[in-house]
Amino acid sequence: MATAIRTAEAPVATLEPRSTAARIPPEVWAVVVLTVAGAILRFSTLSAQSYWVDEATTVHELHLSFGALLHEVHVNETTPPLYFVLAWVWAKIFGTGEAGLRSFSAVLGTAVIPIAYLCGRRLISRWAGVAAAAFTALSPFMIWYSQEARSYMLLGLLCGLSFLFFVRAWQQSSTRNVAWWGVFSGFAILTHFFAGFLVAPEGLLLLLWGPARRRVLIAGGAVAAVQLAMLPLAVSDTHHPLSWIKAFPLSVRIEQIPVDLGLGTLYQSSLVTYGLWGAGVLAAIVAGLLIVGGTPQQRRGAAIAGALAACVILVPILIAELGGDYVVPRNFMPAWIPLAVLIGAACTVPRARAAGAALTVVVLGGLVWAQARIDQNTQYQRPNWRGVATALGHAPVRRAIVLYGSGFATQPLEVYLPRLPWGPPPPRPVSVNEVDVVGSSFQTTARPLPPGVTLFARRTVDDFLVERFLVNPAWDLSPGAIAQRASTLLGPGPPSPAVLVQTPGPASRAHGA
C-alpha cells in the first residue's frame, strides 16, 4: 500500500512545474519576449551616437547644483522640470556619459512595451495588446527616444500610464483607478506641455460618460491645478525662444508627423512627401477591418483610442493655424500608445483574421526595414560631434573654432572639448594663432588663402569637414571679426558663423562623473 502511494505521488511532483508554466497565458510569454527584444534594441547601441544639441544642453544642466539646474530649466528649457529633476539624480549614480545618462530613457522606453500591452488588453483584447507591444518594441520612433537624454520617453511612459488608468476608470471607476489616473496625468503634465492634449480629453470623457463624476471632478481638478501652475512656462516667449520652429513651414512639419511616428528619422528622406497619403491609406485599412471584422466592443475601444490620438495630433495643429505654433513631430509622443492600440485592434479582428495578420506583417516589416535603414545611414542619425571633437584634437595654442553650421551646434563641442566656456565668448578681442573651421564635406578650401594663413590639417568626419589653419601673425580680433575673416577660408561660407575660443589642453572631456 505504501508503494502504491509513492507511485501515485511521483507523477504529481514531476508534472507540477510544467503545469505551473502551462498556466501562464501564451500572450504573456509573447510580451516577455517582446520586452526583452525591445530592451536589447535600446541598450545595445546607447553610446553608438554622440550627443546632439539638446542632449548636450541636458548634460551641461545636470552638472550644475540642484538650485542652478532648476533656474536653467526655467530660463532655457521649453518643458516643465520633472525629467531634469529625475535625470539629475540618475546622473549622480550613472554619470553623464552617453550610455550612463541615456540608460534612464532606455529603462523608461523598455517599460513602455508592457504598458502598451496592458492598454490594448484592457481596451480591446489580449492579442491586440500583444500587437501594440510589438509595434512599441520595434518602432524606430520609440527606439530613438529611448536612446535620447531628453524628456520624451518619460512623457511616453507617463502618458501610457495615464491612458491605462483612464481605460480602467472608464470601465470601473473605483477611487483607486481615478486617483491613479490623476497622479500619472499630473506627472505627465509636469514632464511636457503636450501631455495636456491627451489628459484633457481623457478627463472630459470620464466626466461626460464615466460612472463616478464626483471622483473624476476631484482628480481632474488636481490635474488642472498642475496644468495652470505650468502654464506660465508654456506661454513665456521671453525666456523660451522657439522661433526656430517657424523657420520650417508648418505644412512641411505636418507632413513629417506620420513619417516620424511611423518610420522615425526617415522623415528626413523623400518619404516625407508620401507621409500623409500613407497615413490616409493606413487609416482607411484600419477602419475597414474594424467595421468588417471587429466586434462592437472592439470598435468602441478603437474609437476611444482613435479619438484621443486625434486630439493629441489635430488640436496642436489647429492652435498652430491660429498663431500658437509648437508643432514638432516628437511632441506628439502622447499619441503613440493610443495609435498602437488602434492599429493593434485592426490587426486582431476575429472575423477578418487573414487580413489582420497581413496588416500585422506589413506594419512590423515596415518598422524593421526603417530601423535597419536608419542604422546603416549616418544621414538619419545624430550628427557625429564626438567625432568632430576627436578630429579637432587637443589645442596646442589658443585657438578659435569656427562653425559654419547653425550656432546651436556649439553646445555639443562645449560638452566634448575641455576649456570651452558654456555659451558665446565675450565680445572683447582675443589673440589666436590657430583657426579651426568646421563645415560640410561639400565645401572646398579657398584658393588662394589670405596672406599669413596656412592649411595645416584636413579631416572628414561623416558629413563634416574639419580644417586646421595656422595664422601668422596672430589674429587679435573680437570673435565676431574672427567669424567674418574665417568665412573666407572655406567656401561657400555663411555670413556670420559661430565662434568658440579654446585655451590649450587635452583632447577630450570626461563625462562619466
Side-chain angles (χ1 to χ4, degrees), residues 24-38:
I24 299 177
E27 69 272 9
V28 174
W29 287 114
V31 173
V32 170
V33 171
L34 288 168
T35 303
V36 172

Side-chain angles (χ1 to χ4, degrees), residues 196-460:
F197 296 117
L198 174 71
V199 169
E202 285 177 345
L204 184 61
L205 288 175
L206 289 176
L207 277 175
L208 293 178
W209 290 291
R213 295 181 180 177
R214 184 172 178 274
R215 295 170 185 158
V216 174
L217 277 173
I218 295 173
V223 174
V226 174
Q227 181 73 81
L228 288 174
M230 295 295 104
L231 194 59
L233 296 177
V235 299
S236 175
D237 291 331
T238 301
H239 295 305
H240 304 302
L242 291 171
S243 58
W244 65 269
I245 293 178
K246 296 182 180 181
F248 303 92
L250 178 61
S251 59
V252 173
R253 285 178 279 128
I254 291 174
E255 286 183 328
Q256 292 174 345
I257 294 170
V259 183
D260 194 8
L261 291 177
L263 303 176
T265 54
L266 293 189
Y267 75 85
Q268 301 175 44
S269 71
S270 60
L271 288 173
V272 69
T273 58
Y274 305 101
L276 293 176
W277 286 102
V281 170
L282 179 60
I285 293 172
V286 167
L289 284 172
L290 288 168
I291 292 171
V292 172
T295 65
Q297 178 184 355
Q298 287 177 319
R299 287 195 288 268
R300 184 166 55 251
I304 292 172
L308 291 174
C311 286
V312 174
I313 295 173
L314 297 180
V315 173
I317 292 176
L318 176 61
I319 293 174
E321 294 287 358
L322 297 176
D325 190 355
Y326 302 97
V327 173
V328 180
R330 59 181 177 265
N331 286 345
F332 295 98
M333 176 68 74
W336 171 260
I337 288 184
L339 287 173
V341 170
L342 173 62
I343 299 173
C347 291
T348 55
V349 289
R351 294 194 293 269
R353 296 184 185 276
L359 177 61
T360 305
V361 171
V362 170
V363 172
L364 291 178
L367 297 177
V368 172
W369 169 80
Q371 186 60 46
R373 189 171 177 187
I374 292 168
D375 291 339
Q376 294 168 4
N377 293 273
T378 57
Q379 70 184 93
Y380 305 126
Q381 300 171 13
R382 296 171 181 86
N384 190 4
W385 290 112
R386 184 174 56 199
V388 171
T390 301
L392 288 169
H394 73 283
V397 296
R398 178 181 292 172
R399 66 178 174 184
I401 301 173
V402 182
L403 305 176
Y404 272 24
S406 166
F408 288 109
T410 61
Q411 286 93 324
L413 288 183
E414 288 165 346
V415 165
Y416 284 115
L417 289 173
R419 278 168 286 281
L420 282 178
W422 189 260
R428 61 176 179 269
V430 60
S431 179
V432 296
N433 296 97
E434 178 183 313
V435 177
D436 291 6
V437 179
V438 181
S440 300
S441 57
F442 66 83
Q443 293 174 308
T444 57
T445 309
R447 293 289 186 269
L449 288 170
V453 178
T454 304
L455 177 62
F456 181 75
R458 175 188 176 97
R459 289 190 62 180
T460 301

